[in-house]
Amino acid sequence: MAQFGIIGHKGRMGQALFAAIEEAGHGAAGGIDAGGQPGPLATQSDALIDFSAPSALEASIAAARVAGIPILIGTTGLEAEHHMMIDEAASVIPVLQTGNTSLGVTLLAHLVETAAAKLGDNWDIEIVEMHHRHKVDAPSGTAKLLGEAAAKGRSIDLASNTESARDGMTGARETGAIGFASLRGGTVAGDHSTIFAGNEERITLTHNAENRMIFARGAVKAAAWLIGKPAGRYTMNDVLGL
């Protein structure tokens, strides 16, 4: 039985993580929220799970490094400096960072990459996501994950091949671009579709999250998988063996 420390434990995801840890037969070493110090928690944990905020990531990673334990990072809205921090930490401890811990979404991303690799750039790719009214970042971390999967399948750079926030006279769509659209409203836990639009035919790959417990269960499975692994930066694909 593993002991997990939760960063951001008072949020909705934090509460779901406590339930998923118990459901999986593991234990919770405790949790902290804004203003808390992750160091003492890390020393009592076999792994840290962080779903808090980008501003808390530096302290979380530092605590995991000092304690010599793995950390799973599910926080979205990360910038380039955060990824540099993660890469540096991965040289000394196991780190898994992902925009989505759902096992279903992980498989979806694998399918998106495969489809993008097999279909030519005359098939337009659009990624549409919808979340609850309280979500503060857009596109979602999962949408970006799917975009990265599509870009990898086409062997292109996502940042320089993205179309988003269309409004007004935007002109014709760029060939080979990957488009994003974000919808917000109600209590939607997370819906994501990747649309491959060809000439007179379309393929739509969709995942619908009915409850955030799916993310919590995937996070606990992945964090348990990380324990005992050598230092490195891992993905949910590694957890599923894809």
Side-chain angles (χ1 to χ4, degrees):
M1 181 178 76
Q3 294 290 320
F4 298 108
I6 302 174
I7 313 295
H9 78 295
K10 290 183 179 178
R12 287 170 292 184
M13 190 60 192
Q15 294 306 301
L17 284 167
F18 276 118
I21 289 169
E22 182 179 2
E23 182 183 278
H26 297 298
I32 63 165
D33 222 297
Q37 296 299 316
L41 178 63
T43 62
Q44 302 169 37
S45 306
D46 296 309
L48 292 179
I49 303 176
D50 188 346
F51 277 85
S52 56
S55 59
L57 188 59
E58 184 174 8
S60 300
I61 288 177
R65 292 184 63 166
V66 170
I69 61 172
I71 181 170
L72 182 142
I73 301 164
T75 303
T76 58
L78 301 183
E79 302 292 344
E81 62 266 26
H82 299 114
H83 287 286
M84 290 176 60
M85 226 183 291
I86 292 168
D87 287 338
E88 184 181 347
S91 66
V92 291
I93 59 171
V95 182
L96 192 158
Q97 179 273 321
T98 180
N100 192 301
T101 52
S102 159
L103 302 181
V105 166
T106 301
L107 183 57
L108 173 63
H110 179 70
L111 296 173
V112 167
E113 180 182 339
T114 300
K118 297 297 183 182
L119 301 173
D121 63 8
N122 60 319
W123 286 72
D124 299 322
I125 301 176
E126 291 286 315
I127 298 170
V128 182
E129 55 99 349
M130 182 169 186
H131 283 83
H132 53 85
R133 63 172 65 94
H134 301 293
K135 187 168 180 60
V136 298
D137 59 312
S140 68
T142 301
K144 293 177 182 177
L145 182 151
L146 295 173
E148 291 288 359
K152 183 179 179 182
R154 285 190 169 172
S155 299
I156 61 175
D157 173 60
L158 178 62
S160 55
N161 290 277
T162 292
E163 283 193 7
S164 61
R166 299 186 184 107
D167 184 48
M169 296 294 292
T170 60
R173 192 184 195 283
E174 291 289 333
T175 299
I178 297 173
F180 290 87
S182 298
L183 312 178
R184 296 289 178 267
T187 58
V188 179
D191 292 345
H192 294 85
S193 293
T194 303
I195 303 166
F196 293 85
N199 293 326
E200 302 177 348
E201 59 182 328
R202 286 192 312 278
I203 299 170
T204 302
L205 300 173
T206 298
H207 178 274
N208 299 313
E210 298 178 3
N211 189 294
R212 61 179 40 86
M213 278 299 294
I214 67 168
F215 309 120
R217 291 188 186 105
V220 171
K221 180 180 178 69
W225 179 89
L226 271 181
I227 297 171
K229 292 292 185 295
R233 183 164 182 168
Y234 297 93
T235 69
M236 290 298 293
N237 278 6
D238 296 316
V239 178
L240 286 186
L242 296 175

